[in-house]
Amino acid sequence: MTPLLALAVAVAGGLGAVTRLVFDGFLRSRIAIAFPLGTTVINVTGSFLLGLVTALALAHGLPTEWRVILGTGFLGGYTTFSTASYETVRLAQQRRYRAALVNGFGMLILALLAAGLGLWLGSLF
């Protein structure tokens, strides 16, 4: 990895994290719910986009550098499975076990389905 590529990945990761922060804030301001919906939506959309980018990269020979910048950098900064894990534990600590299960397993299943959908959709082009 060249220093320029490392810098590009870092900048893309920062942009992804800012995008996540803004999008999560937007969702929280619009939808008042006692469930971490913003994190779920972010992780599911990020998984979909990573599947789409991967399929398009494979089908059209996107250079490795761009795959790393978009996938590892931007989408790595955008998605936040560590926050999802923390929120799941917090729900369980509040004895909201059903919400914790839905958040943990539901998000995992939705993220996998979204990644598969992105891969499939990207393979059509």
Side-chain angles (χ1 to χ4, degrees):
M1 179 180 285
T2 66
L4 185 59
L5 180 58
L7 179 62
V9 170
V11 169
L15 290 172
V18 168
T19 302
R20 169 176 25 115
L21 179 69
V22 170
F23 190 44
D24 188 46
F26 174 79
L27 289 175
R28 286 177 192 255
S29 70
R30 299 286 192 267
I31 304 168
I33 185 173
F35 185 81
L37 181 66
T39 304
T40 300
V41 170
I42 286 166
N43 284 334
V44 171
T45 57
S47 295
F48 170 77
L49 291 172
L50 185 58
L52 187 65
V53 166
T54 300
L56 291 173
L58 292 173
H60 299 290
L62 187 67
T64 302
E65 293 81 7
W66 279 105
R67 283 187 259 170
V68 171
I69 292 169
L70 291 173
T72 304
F74 184 79
L75 292 172
Y78 176 70
T79 56
T80 178
F81 285 94
S82 58
T83 300
S85 300
Y86 169 77
E87 290 170 344
T88 300
V89 169
R90 292 289 300 160
L91 289 169
Q93 287 177 331
Q94 296 168 358
R95 300 181 188 272
R96 297 179 57 205
Y97 300 114
R98 184 180 304 171
L101 283 174
V102 168
N103 192 54
F105 290 110
M107 183 183 319
L108 175 64
I109 291 168
L110 287 174
L112 288 172
L113 290 173
L117 178 63
L119 277 171
W120 174 75
L121 193 60
S123 70
L124 297 177
F125 297 101

